[in-house]
Amino acid sequence: MNIVVLVKQVPGTNKVEVDPVTGVLKRDGVESEMNPYDLFAIEQAMRIKEEYGGNVQALTMGPPQATAVIEEAIYMGADKGTVISDRRFAGADVLSTTRTISGALKTIGNIDLIVCGKQTTDGDTAQVGPEVAEFLNIPHAANVTEITDIEDGHITVVMNMEQLLQTQRMKLPALITVEKDANTPRLPSLKRSFQYQNNVPVQIRSLDDFEDENPDKYGLSGSPTQVERIFPPEKNIDRAQFEGEPEDLAEKIADILKQKKIV
């Protein structure tokens, strides 16, 4: 099986500034890490490879430093990776990001299964995976907790639908997004890091590699949703301390809540 895992480099802290003009995150100089949910996707892909054979490659979209998450995926067991990197992709919203990733996947070709994490910690939309499937016109399943079978060109998965577990059988090629409860991710291999030192099999793809090279469809210019205004939340640091008997304290707190029209 030819498996592609979509991964993303996200800020490793919640103290990230936002460009007031473009409304996008300022990622330069910010400590970054692999999106935590993507670790479960990599692990799931590796387990499929170990049971059914094939190869696993990781794909990410981002600036050149996003190569770090591809290297981490390779150290976890992926065979190779691709970074989609081009200034013309910068500032993309969900739709523009999906169009970019789908274009890159088409350059790879012959993909049997695309595996994604449930969502990313910086966007939290959980939309990119399913939208990629729609762009590629392939079936998909979200919130996958288990893969029960892969045979006869089909994959059977169990999905967590909150109120129930649903089993779904899909024809390959297909796309799945993996829940964090699906597995326990393995650690990157020190042996593999030494093995690939200074020779990590990573490709860089740009808009020039795509079938559709129209720059107006990508990045900020290709994003139908734009941030109108962004501002930091107001901080309330007012404090009050009371002393007395429990009954008196409860009455004072109740009065304050009523004054503030909370109750």
Side-chain angles (χ1 to χ4, degrees), residues 90-153:
D93 68 354
V94 172
L95 181 62
S96 185
T97 296
T98 302
R99 182 181 290 114
T100 305
I101 293 174
S102 301
L105 289 169
K106 289 177 181 178
T107 68
I108 295 175
N110 298 319
I111 301 171
D112 296 303
L113 182 65
I114 302 169
V115 187
C116 313
K118 176 184 177 181
Q119 62 194 72
T120 59
T121 55
D122 58 350
D124 278 332
T125 66
Q127 295 174 3
V128 171
E131 285 192 24
V132 166
E134 290 299 316
F135 264 92
L136 298 177
N137 195 30
I138 59 176
H140 74 274
N143 306 334
V144 171
T145 59
E146 182 183 359
I147 295 175
T148 59
D149 188 47
I150 300 178
E151 65 175 358
D152 299 328

Side-chain angles (χ1 to χ4, degrees), residues 177-252:
T177 71
V178 180
E179 274 277 10
K180 62 182 178 63
D181 298 327
N183 55 55
T184 300
R186 68 193 66 190
L187 295 173
S189 167
L190 182 61
K191 180 179 179 180
R192 287 179 67 86
S193 69
F194 284 129
Q195 176 185 349
Y196 289 106
Q197 191 173 23
N198 300 323
N199 191 29
V200 181
V202 180
Q203 285 187 330
I204 306 295
R205 299 278 187 181
S206 71
L207 182 58
D208 297 332
D209 297 304
F210 286 18
E211 293 179 4
D212 188 345
E213 298 181 20
N214 183 354
D216 292 334
K217 293 184 179 181
Y218 305 93
L220 194 60
S221 59
S223 300
T225 56
Q226 303 285 336
V227 176
E228 182 176 309
R229 184 171 67 98
I230 193 161
F231 54 90
E234 296 182 1
K235 294 183 179 180
N236 186 345
I237 58 174
D238 294 341
R239 300 287 187 273
Q241 183 173 338
F242 303 101
E243 295 182 1
E245 296 298 321
E247 293 80 4
D248 297 332
L249 294 175
E251 186 175 345
K252 288 181 179 180

Side-chain angles (χ1 to χ4, degrees), residues 75-88:
Y75 299 156
M76 289 178 68
D79 299 289
K80 57 184 178 179
T82 300
V83 179
I84 316 166
S85 187
D86 193 315
R87 287 192 175 276
R88 291 170 287 184

Side-chain angles (χ1 to χ4, degrees), residues 32-47:
S32 300
E33 64 181 10
M34 170 88 73
N35 175 49
Y37 288 98
D38 295 343
L39 297 172
F40 301 97
I42 296 171
E43 177 62 30
Q44 196 63 62
M46 292 307 305
R47 294 188 182 192

